[in-house]
Amino acid sequence: VRDELLGVFDGSGGGYYLIYGKWKYIWFARTNEEQLFDIDSDPRELHDLSGNSGVLAPMRERMANCQSKCTKDTGYALGSLHPCANKPPKALWN
């Protein structure tokens, strides 16, 4: 069983996702938007929790740690992130 899974996607603006325990964090690299889902209670990912800084902050730190281990600079910067807060990501529409 893996504790953590980092993945990359090209569609929808491109970016990364990180699954840790019951959490799935998504970062859209082109727009610096982010989403967070509790995949245990919301397996269809319908309720974005990125507006809740209490649960968002630990996943941001985990993603920053994963990104620091990448072999290339991905542009992930904590100060430039924008939670979607249960709104559709602009990355999907631009």
Side-chain angles (χ1 to χ4, degrees):
V1 177
R2 290 186 176 167
D3 291 333
E4 194 169 72
L5 175 67
L6 177 67
V8 180
F9 60 91
D10 282 333
S12 306
Y16 295 81
Y17 64 89
L18 175 64
I19 298 173
Y20 178 74
K22 69 178 191 167
W23 301 108
K24 181 177 181 183
Y25 174 82
I26 303 169
W27 170 54
F28 297 93
R30 185 171 48 86
T31 58
N32 275 321
E33 293 174 290
E34 56 191 345
Q35 292 182 309
L36 179 66
F37 299 97
D38 177 339
I39 56 177
D40 281 352
S41 66
D42 181 20
R44 295 179 63 202
E45 300 175 17
L46 300 174
H47 305 286
D48 172 21
L49 303 171
S50 63
N52 181 335
S53 61
V55 294
L56 180 63
M59 289 304 288
R60 279 180 166 178
E61 289 297 325
R62 284 194 168 282
M63 179 63 88
N65 185 44
C66 288
Q67 293 296 322
S68 71
K69 296 175 186 174
C70 286
T71 56
K72 63 177 185 166
D73 181 14
T74 61
Y76 188 79
L78 292 172
S80 63
L81 299 171
H82 306 287
C84 289
N86 214 34
K87 293 187 176 130
K90 293 175 186 166
L92 298 177
W93 308 110
N94 292 330

